[in-house]
Amino acid sequence: MATFLYRLGRGAFRRRGLVALLWVALLFAAGFGAASAAAPTSGSFSIPGTEAQKAFDLLDKRFPGMAADGATARIVIKAPEGAKVTDPGPKAEVQKIVSGLKTGPGAAEISSVADPYEAQAVSQDGSTAYISAKYNVSGMELKDATRDALKDSGEGAKAAGLNVQIGGDALMAAPETGSGEIIGIAVAAIVLVITFGSLIAAGLPLLTALIGVGIGVSSITALANVLDLGNTTATLATMIGLAVGIDYALFIVSRYRAELAEGREREEAAGRAVGTAGSAVVFAGLTVVIALVGLAVVNIPMLTKMGFAAAGTVVIAVLVALTLVPAILAFAGKKVLPAGEKSRLFGKGKPAGTEKKANGGTRWARFVLRRPVMVLLAGVIGLGVIAIPASKLEMGLPDDGAQPVSTTQRQAYDLLSDGFGPGFNGPLMVVVDGDKALADSTADRIKGLDGVVAVTPPTLNEAGDAAVITVIPKDRPSSTHTEELVHEIRDGSGDDVLVTGATAMNIDFSQKMNDALLPYLALVVGLAFLLLMLVFRSILVPLKAALGFLLSVVAALGAVVAVFQWGWLGSVFGVEQTGPIMSMMPIFMVGVVFGLAMDYEVFLVTRMREAYVHGERPGQAVVTGFQYSARVVVAAAVIMIAVFAGFIGASEQMVKMIGFGLAVAVFFDAFVVRMAIVPAVLALLGHKAWWLPKWLDRLLPNVDVEGESLRKHLESAQSPEGPDKDRELVNA
């Protein structure tokens, strides 16, 4: 592989114009496709194999249109203190809202509006009422004029002294990342300038990463409606694509400059950089792709599509690093070097081989080698303490009750809870596959259960062979009591009685995510273990990498629980409302963080393996790996943390939580696990770290990530017949 990538790097360097033109053409083609495509929707949500999904599928057959995924809105009206919504004045204002929705702007997109006085949507004390509106399209597809009309529908009632708030998904909008994402990129730029000491070298990884992300995200946008990708898919792809795109280019550029420092010509340096660091990029990218594509084992289409889309962006980032980066290096010339080095490295100043003072990575590695047990214990115990809150993890899916208290959705949620009871925000829908007699007996049985406030009479379909019953629980949707009620209804019914609705879907979703976590973890870690065994020709190094990852991801989950569930430092991170952690967060963090963690493992330990293969003792190989890679790995980690942390400013709670979780996980994995625990373990293992049974060594293909075969090829090219061999190698 190293030899192939060496030829690829030199070829891209020589044909820089053609390579750059092809990538720019791809960017424009993807951008044109995105600009001409319809706006992305919120994406359909289904959970195959669950009872809630079976009930929705049955509704589609027996009650056509009832299970449609059009947006809904609830306009909640509360009368002033001492008045009732049934009084003539407030009632007239409520009916003006109903009339305005039916005939005003946006009425063409409304399929139905329920008058609260006819639909019995008035609280028992008469203080609160709500208007239900159903739209023909999803919340993301609503026209701005329709959404504005909904927001303005209660202005007249507010002027009359009524409290009007709006809930439901009709006000759903694309998540806003705010200025945090821009700040993250700015931090990345500053880190790159400090690392390279050159504006050109610092700008190169940013430029290539933005091109790769632009192609990936534009392609996702262009295909969003065709593939039903949903509106959060592009956000995830941007988050991961930016992080890995900058990091992969950073490693190629760093190795290129190191090769120049050895006195090699620019084209040769580019070939060697892609042949060595490029090999690490390929395998690091493969681990990320495996982790993201592996989300398919959960069997939730939305999560599978998000994983595949993000994996596609990672593949683009790898291809950009291997081809576009060497092409731009060819355009940049000597400008990728710091000002002092432009003369020094090319023989006009201090010789390149002059001994330099040990850098920070070398000094840190020597410190760890002197005290490996102390460093190992400090790292493991420290992460273990931070991981403690993860034992209290509570999972669920956010609803309007998790919105900030300043939003109209949250205030509508609270008004409904106060006027109709906490369970009114999460009604259960019981679908009966049978006649009226079965439906009536089912309704009677449910009325006798604890935790039930109200049960509506069964509503039969036209054929009379199916019915729908609405059940109002006593407790809020996310409570454990409501979950127990769902299970109680199901346990006491046969296969012809199914429980669904948003609350039941959330319960089933959480359960499915829990059930899939261990199989997914086994699949991803198992495949990556085999991949790392190919890279490092070792059993203990991949095992150490996997165990270190588990420690960092559990510690990151502990931090997420402390901030988003318990509210510790919540104000610092803009968390206005605490609550259960999103059900997909653990499995999503396992997938994404594992892939990213293996990046640092590959980049850092590959240098150690390269030094060990070339004859250095285990301890000295660790020092050599840190000497050449620590500074770049630290810079890459800071960049990735900055990019992820930029998404903490997002308006969407899901994006905010993912950004925080990934940023914290990368911090723990890069600075505690890879920079401290890894060298400590390798110091204690010595030669055993690189042990591989001979029979297994013969079975495994040699991928030559450290470039040993490339080095032999190039050394033989310097023999008397070297020029011919070199020409043959380059032009092959």
Side-chain angles (χ1 to χ4, degrees), residues 9 16 93 99 273 278 347 453 475 506 612 658 713 718:
R16 66 201 70 148
E93 293 296 335
S99 177
V453 172
D475 297 291
N506 289 353
Y612 181 77
I658 289 175
H713 271 296
Q718 296 172 0

Side-chain angles (χ1 to χ4, degrees), residues 217-563:
V217 173
S218 296
S219 301
I220 291 170
T221 304
L223 299 172
N225 278 292
V226 177
L227 302 180
D228 193 27
L229 294 179
N231 61 326
T232 57
T233 303
T235 303
L236 172 64
T238 301
M239 189 185 299
I240 296 177
L242 266 179
V244 300
I246 294 173
D247 279 3
Y248 294 166
L250 168 64
F251 281 103
I252 298 289
V253 174
S254 176
R255 189 59 183 255
Y256 171 75
R257 290 175 19 134
E259 295 295 336
L260 289 179
E262 296 293 328
R264 296 187 173 87
E265 294 296 326
R266 293 194 300 119
E267 182 178 328
E268 178 67 14
R272 287 176 179 256
V274 176
T276 51
S279 298
V281 166
V282 169
F283 281 93
L286 274 176
T287 58
V288 181
V289 169
I290 287 173
L292 292 171
V293 172
L295 291 171
V297 303
V298 183
N299 194 28
I300 294 178
M302 179 193 72
L303 202 57
T304 300
K305 292 172 185 176
M306 289 175 66
F308 271 86
T313 306
V314 172
V315 171
I316 292 173
V318 171
L319 295 176
V320 165
L322 298 180
T323 57
L324 183 58
V325 168
I328 296 182
L329 286 172
F331 284 117
K334 300 176 184 179
K335 295 178 181 178
V336 296
L337 297 168
E341 305 240 351
K342 291 172 188 174
S343 59
R344 183 167 70 246
L345 295 179
F346 289 91
K348 298 180 182 178
K350 189 177 179 180
T354 302
E355 184 177 353
K356 298 179 181 179
K357 180 182 177 181
N359 61 21
T362 302
R363 294 195 298 272
W364 171 251
R366 289 171 179 168
F367 170 79
V368 175
L369 289 175
R370 289 195 300 270
R371 299 174 177 83
V373 175
M374 181 191 75
V375 172
L376 179 62
L377 289 177
V380 172
I381 294 173
L383 291 181
V385 170
I386 298 173
I388 290 175
S391 62
K392 303 297 183 181
L393 175 68
E394 296 178 7
M395 293 193 297
L397 286 180
D399 54 18
D400 284 346
Q403 296 273 4
V405 293
S406 59
T407 62
T408 184
Q409 294 96 323
R410 171 59 188 275
Q411 293 179 41
Y413 181 97
D414 291 340
L415 288 178
L416 286 173
S417 295
D418 294 340
F420 297 88
F424 192 80
N425 282 293
L428 305 176
M429 183 184 294
V430 179
V431 184
V432 180
D433 187 12
D435 56 16
K436 186 176 185 301
L438 178 60
D440 288 338
S441 63
T442 300
D444 291 338
R445 185 180 65 82
I446 295 174
K447 287 178 183 177
L449 298 177
D450 293 334
V452 174
V453 172
V455 178
T456 64
T459 302
L460 272 69
N461 63 350
E462 292 183 3
D465 59 355
V468 173
I469 304 168
T470 300
V471 179
I472 306 298
K474 182 168 62 176
D475 297 291
R476 68 185 193 279
S478 59
S479 72
T480 56
H481 297 294
T482 301
E483 181 176 351
E484 292 168 358
L485 175 63
V486 170
H487 291 308
E488 192 173 0
I489 295 173
R490 288 173 172 173
D491 294 341
S493 307
D495 295 337
D496 46 10
V497 177
L498 306 171
V499 183
T500 188
T503 301
M505 287 286 279
N506 289 353
I507 292 170
D508 288 351
F509 182 82
S510 299
Q511 186 61 49
K512 184 144 188 166
M513 298 300 288
N514 284 335
D515 294 343
L517 182 58
L518 287 180
Y520 172 71
L521 190 62
L523 172 70
V524 171
V525 174
L527 288 176
F529 180 87
L530 294 175
L531 193 64
L532 292 177
M533 203 158 53
L534 290 177
V535 174
F536 298 127
R537 318 297 297 180
S538 164
I539 291 178
L540 295 180
V541 170
L543 180 62
K544 173 257 317 164
L547 293 176
F549 150 74
L550 290 175
L551 185 59
S552 61
V553 80
V554 174
L557 276 175
V560 170
V561 169
V563 173

